[in-house]
Amino acid sequence: MTDRMLTSRKVPNPCGPEMPRLLARIFSTLLEAGEDNRDAAVENGLKSLGEFLRVERSYIFLFRREDGEKLMDNTHEWCAPRVHSEKARLQAVPVSLISRSMDLFARGEVLNIPRVSDLSDESGTEKALLESQGIQSALMVPLTINGKLRGFLGFDAVHRIREWSGDETALLSLLGKMFAGAFELWERTRLLREMNEDLEARIADRTEELGLILRTMDEGYFVLDGGGDFLNVNEGFSRISGFSAGELLSMSVFDLLNGSFPGGLAEERSGNGQTSGISFETTISRKDGSRRDISVTGRFLPETGTFAAFVRDISERVRRERTMNFRATHDPLTNLPNRLCFLERVEQALKRAAETGDSLAVAMVDLNRFKRVNDALGHAEGDKVLGEIARILSGAVRDSDTAARWGGDEFVLLFEKVRDAADALALASRVSDAVRVSRHIQGRESVITASIGVALFPRHGHTADDLLRCADKAMYRIKNGKGGFLLYSG
């Protein structure tokens, strides 16, 4: 398979919490399906997936051998309205036609084809087979169990180009393992019936095999009793939590969740009103004391009074999201909140103050003699001065207050829950006294200080713009090069 075939361009992930809940519901339906309705369960699952993922065709191919030749059959298929079924003509298809795809499947990797038209000449047979069905984009997931490639699960976009996000691909890869596991269990059941051997012993063997799948899969898996104690865990969950299986089986899930189950759990209910699936994201404490962000998708089993769940480590995704959010709301030079973040905090503080009747103050801070230092010593040294000022301001305000960079050499402060004007000026005085940064220019010391203008809510205004405008006027009145602070007086 060429690199061009495996190209995956990022698109916004539409899944959110809905995709894991859908997978949990499909997996539950497959496990509970009786012999007479297994095909219907598979095709209903393909229909739900196809409609949710907004593709035109979803299907399953299974491999078999006939007269020494490896063939594949389109065993199950769902098509969107006005899309022709390909199932009838895609029977006994030689696997040799997709030899390059098979190389990828054999490694347990997902085949992601954003554009069929971009496939190289090396993949000519695959390209011809896909184009004969009018396919523009495709994603195929190998169905593998205990190291044996059984077939593949596929999704086709016929009417448009369809690109897949990394989270979607990872979840669909997990779904492939679920389908493969279900097929393996069904086949084992059929063989058991045909062989008519000791049913209880064979069920025990089948259960052990399923346990092996759960124990060795990359994703975490656990089973809890009604009190939250661990009854079963796999190696994947041991790796995520940092505890051995033996340690976990003597613990409660609440030991990892700091005492309480997360609130706001999203539930899926079956037609009879019973909870069929549940999913949530939370943070656990590992054995080494570190924290790990996880996604849990599971199901309550009323017949046994237990809760079984799959667990994915999403720490890296959460870290990226937090980093992106921090960069969007903070100044890159000083790491203080930026203008947008400050205005949002002021708006929130004004709403709280209006509800409680408290006062608050907004202060505009301008640096005296900063331009002289910046011009004489250069921008690099000027940036260091701004960093020092930022640390001073952060240390001079209360934990409940906010110091932010407004732009250039201007900073802004938000003082919440001030008693009166004297209280606000006392806070400004503490900041004014703290801001003293010195640099030597041509042998002479130049001391950078702050001029601070203060405005009060509700005395000087009821909006962020009003308060900032008044604080700015007061700041310019006090700005004299020596530093100081002044309350706006109209």
Side-chain angles (χ1 to χ4, degrees), residues 460 477 487-490:
H460 300 130
R477 289 174 186 169
L487 180 69
Y488 178 71
S489 61

Side-chain angles (χ1 to χ4, degrees), residues 86-382:
E86 299 289 341
K87 181 178 177 181
R89 77 180 188 89
L90 293 177
Q91 302 298 317
V93 179
V95 172
S96 58
L97 294 179
I98 60 166
S99 59
R100 303 190 67 82
S101 301
M102 288 292 290
D103 292 340
L104 197 68
F105 291 156
R107 297 195 297 271
E109 298 179 17
V110 173
L111 173 62
N112 187 355
I113 308 177
R115 296 175 182 270
V116 171
S117 60
D118 286 348
L119 293 178
S120 67
D121 293 337
E122 294 177 337
S123 304
T125 56
E126 283 100 333
K127 182 176 182 180
L129 185 60
L130 295 173
E131 289 183 336
S132 71
Q133 304 170 60
I135 299 171
Q136 295 196 53
S137 303
L139 184 134
M140 302 175 194
V141 180
L143 300 179
T144 306
I145 188 168
N146 290 338
K148 182 180 179 181
L149 183 61
R150 300 291 308 263
F152 58 90
L153 167 68
F155 304 92
D156 294 342
V158 177
H159 297 317
R160 60 186 175 88
I161 297 298
R162 174 67 157 90
E163 298 182 348
W164 305 83
S165 71
D167 283 350
E168 286 177 303
T169 302
L171 286 169
L172 291 175
S173 179
L174 173 59
L175 178 66
K177 296 177 183 178
M178 295 178 180
F179 269 101
F183 288 155
E184 181 70 8
L185 290 175
W186 295 346
E187 181 179 350
R188 295 279 182 183
T189 302
R190 179 181 62 81
L191 292 174
L192 287 173
R193 185 184 68 253
E194 292 176 353
M195 295 170 64
N196 195 26
E197 293 183 350
D198 183 0
L199 183 60
E200 291 185 0
R202 303 299 297 210
I203 290 176
D205 290 343
R206 188 183 67 181
T207 303
E208 179 61 27
E209 290 172 2
L210 179 59
L212 177 62
I213 296 170
L214 296 176
R215 289 193 300 272
T216 58
M217 65 192 302
D218 292 336
E219 292 78 12
Y221 176 81
F222 65 72
V223 179
L224 306 176
D225 66 13
D229 293 331
F230 289 105
L231 295 177
N232 191 10
V233 298
N234 72 346
E235 295 176 4
F237 188 66
S238 292
R239 287 193 296 271
I240 293 173
S241 68
F243 293 93
S244 69
E247 291 171 325
L248 287 167
L249 293 179
S250 65
M251 297 169 59
S252 164
V253 70
F254 301 109
D255 295 328
L256 305 183
L257 296 172
N258 295 324
S260 63
F261 227 59
L265 301 184
E267 295 185 351
E268 285 290 326
R269 294 187 177 273
S270 60
N272 59 14
Q274 294 183 341
T275 299
S276 60
I278 189 169
S279 63
F280 59 91
E281 294 182 359
T282 188
T283 304
I284 62 171
S285 298
R286 305 184 76 242
K287 183 177 181 179
D288 61 8
S290 63
R291 307 283 287 169
R292 190 67 62 89
D293 295 293
I294 61 171
S295 171
V296 180
T297 302
R299 180 173 183 259
F300 292 106
L301 305 173
E303 60 273 14
T304 59
T306 58
F307 176 74
F310 291 98
V311 181
R312 296 175 60 225
D313 186 342
I314 59 172
S315 300
E316 182 60 25
R317 191 202 79 193
V318 172
R319 184 195 66 78
R320 290 195 304 267
E321 291 174 352
R322 289 172 179 164
T323 298
M324 292 175 63
N325 181 65
F326 185 87
R327 290 175 178 173
T329 58
H330 287 70
D331 173 58
L333 176 62
T334 64
N335 284 332
L336 290 179
N338 60 20
R339 181 184 297 218
L340 177 62
C341 181
F342 180 79
L343 290 173
E344 289 178 352
R345 293 189 184 182
V346 173
E347 293 293 345
Q348 294 168 0
L350 287 171
K351 290 180 181 178
R352 290 193 293 268
E355 293 172 355
T356 61
D358 292 329
S359 294
L360 62 82
V362 170
M364 184 70 72
V365 180
D366 186 79
L367 302 182
N368 303 311
R369 288 180 287 277
F370 173 77
K371 187 177 186 303
R372 181 188 308 169
V373 171
N374 195 54
D375 291 345
L377 301 182
H379 294 302
E381 189 63 30

Side-chain angles (χ1 to χ4, degrees), residues 357-468:
D358 292 329
S359 294
L360 62 82
V362 170
M364 184 70 72
V365 180
D366 186 79
L367 302 182
N368 303 311
R369 288 180 287 277
F370 173 77
K371 187 177 186 303
R372 181 188 308 169
V373 171
N374 195 54
D375 291 345
L377 301 182
H379 294 302
E381 189 63 30
D383 289 347
K384 291 181 182 179
V385 170
L386 292 175
E388 288 185 45
I389 296 294
R391 290 189 288 273
I392 291 171
L393 292 177
S394 296
V397 300
R398 302 170 301 180
D399 291 341
S400 59
D401 299 329
T402 297
R405 187 181 183 195
W406 191 248
D409 62 347
E410 289 187 329
F411 296 82
V412 281
L413 308 173
L414 169 63
F415 301 121
E416 296 196 56
K417 293 185 178 180
V418 297
R419 294 185 296 273
D420 49 30
D423 190 23
L425 289 176
L427 295 171
S429 175
R430 185 167 71 177
V431 173
S432 178
D433 292 342
V435 178
R436 292 185 63 84
V437 175
S438 64
R439 290 292 188 272
H440 286 84
I441 302 174
Q442 296 179 349
R444 300 185 61 181
E445 184 180 39
S446 182
V447 180
I448 297 171
T449 59
S451 294
I452 306 173
V454 183
L456 289 173
F457 165 84
R459 179 172 168 181
H460 300 130
H462 291 79
T463 68
D465 288 341
D466 291 341
L467 296 174
L468 286 166

